[in-house]
Amino acid sequence: MYQYVLAIHIIFVVCWMAGLFYIVRLFIYHREAQDKPEPARTILSDQFEIIEKKLWWIIATPSMYFVIAAGATMLHLNPALWKMPWLHVKLTFVIGLIIYHFICQKIMKQMAKGVFKWTSIQLRLWNELATIILFAIVFLVVLKSALNWIFGVIGIILFSLIIMSAVKIYKYFREKK
C-alpha cells in the first residue's frame, strides 16, 4: 500500500510544481500586458485572469492537497519516518512551499483586481524560489541526510545566481531593442 501512496505523492508533486512554475510565468506575462496599449491590455488581462484561475483551481491547488494527503498517509503507514532528521528538514521546506503557494494565490487575486505590485523582474526572481525549494526537497529525499542536502542547495543557489544574471542580461538586450 505504501508504494501506491508514494506513487500518488510523486505524481501530484509533479503536477503541483508544474502549476507553481506556470502560474508565475503567467503572472509575468500578465504584468507585462499592462504596458500594452488599449484594447490589447484589457483583452490580454482578461485572458490571463481566466487562464490563471483555471490553472490555480483545477490543477495547482488540488494537487497541493493531494500531495499533503498522500504525504500524511505515508507518515501514517510508516511512522518510523518521524525518527529521521532529514524528514523534519524536508517538512520545513514543504511548509515553505505551501506558504509560497498561498503568496502566489494572493498575487493572482491582486492582479485580478488590477493591482500589480510586482515587476516582471521581481516575478522572474520569485519563480526561482520555488526551484530552490524543489531542489532542496529532492536532495533531502534522495540523500536521506539532514546535512548533505546543503551541497545540492548551494549548487542550486549558484545556478540561480547564474539564472538571475541571465535574466538581467536578457532584460538589458530586450530594452536595448
Side-chain angles (χ1 to χ4, degrees):
M1 177 68 142
Y2 182 87
Q3 297 298 325
Y4 290 104
V5 177
L6 176 60
I8 289 169
H9 183 71
I10 292 168
I11 289 165
F12 283 104
V13 165
V14 171
C15 295
W16 185 26
M17 292 308 301
L20 289 177
F21 290 147
Y22 190 44
I23 195 74
V24 179
R25 177 60 44 200
L26 290 172
F27 292 163
I28 293 165
Y29 298 146
H30 194 163
R31 172 63 190 93
E32 290 175 350
Q34 303 315 299
D35 299 331
K36 304 281 185 203
E38 287 295 349
R41 175 183 18 222
T42 301
I43 293 168
L44 288 169
S45 288
D46 290 347
Q47 286 304 303
F48 284 125
E49 286 176 33
I50 291 167
I51 297 166
E52 289 163 2
K53 285 178 185 174
K54 286 182 178 182
L55 171 66
W56 198 250
W57 298 114
I58 296 172
I59 298 172
T61 299
S63 294
M64 177 190 68
Y65 288 119
F66 278 113
V67 166
I68 292 167
T73 302
M74 289 188 307
L75 291 171
H76 176 73
L77 293 172
N78 186 2
L81 288 170
W82 284 112
K83 296 177 184 171
M84 299 181 182
W86 66 268
L87 178 73
H88 299 278
V89 178
K90 176 198 171 192
L91 291 176
T92 301
F93 280 110
V94 171
I95 290 168
L97 201 55
I98 292 168
I99 292 167
Y100 180 95
H101 179 98
F102 286 108
I103 291 171
C104 287
Q105 183 172 306
K106 181 180 176 183
I107 294 168
M108 182 182 72
K109 288 180 177 183
Q110 288 173 338
M111 288 182 161
K113 292 177 183 173
V115 177
F116 296 87
K117 294 183 177 182
W118 296 57
T119 66
S120 62
I121 294 294
Q122 288 171 326
L123 289 166
R124 290 175 203 282
L125 296 175
W126 176 248
N127 205 27
E128 298 308 316
L129 180 58
T131 305
I132 293 169
I133 294 172
L134 175 64
F135 267 69
I137 291 170
V138 170
F139 275 103
L140 279 161
V141 171
V142 171
L143 298 175
K144 304 232 185 304
S145 166
L147 188 58
N148 289 340
W149 65 273
I150 293 171
F151 297 112
V153 172
I154 289 170
I156 189 58
I157 289 171
L158 292 174
F159 179 70
S160 296
L161 291 173
I162 292 167
I163 288 179
M164 285 187 262
S165 298
V167 166
K168 292 208 180 258
I169 292 167
Y170 169 75
K171 180 185 176 191
Y172 170 77
F173 284 111
R174 191 178 75 197
E175 290 176 352
K176 192 174 178 181
K177 291 181 182 181

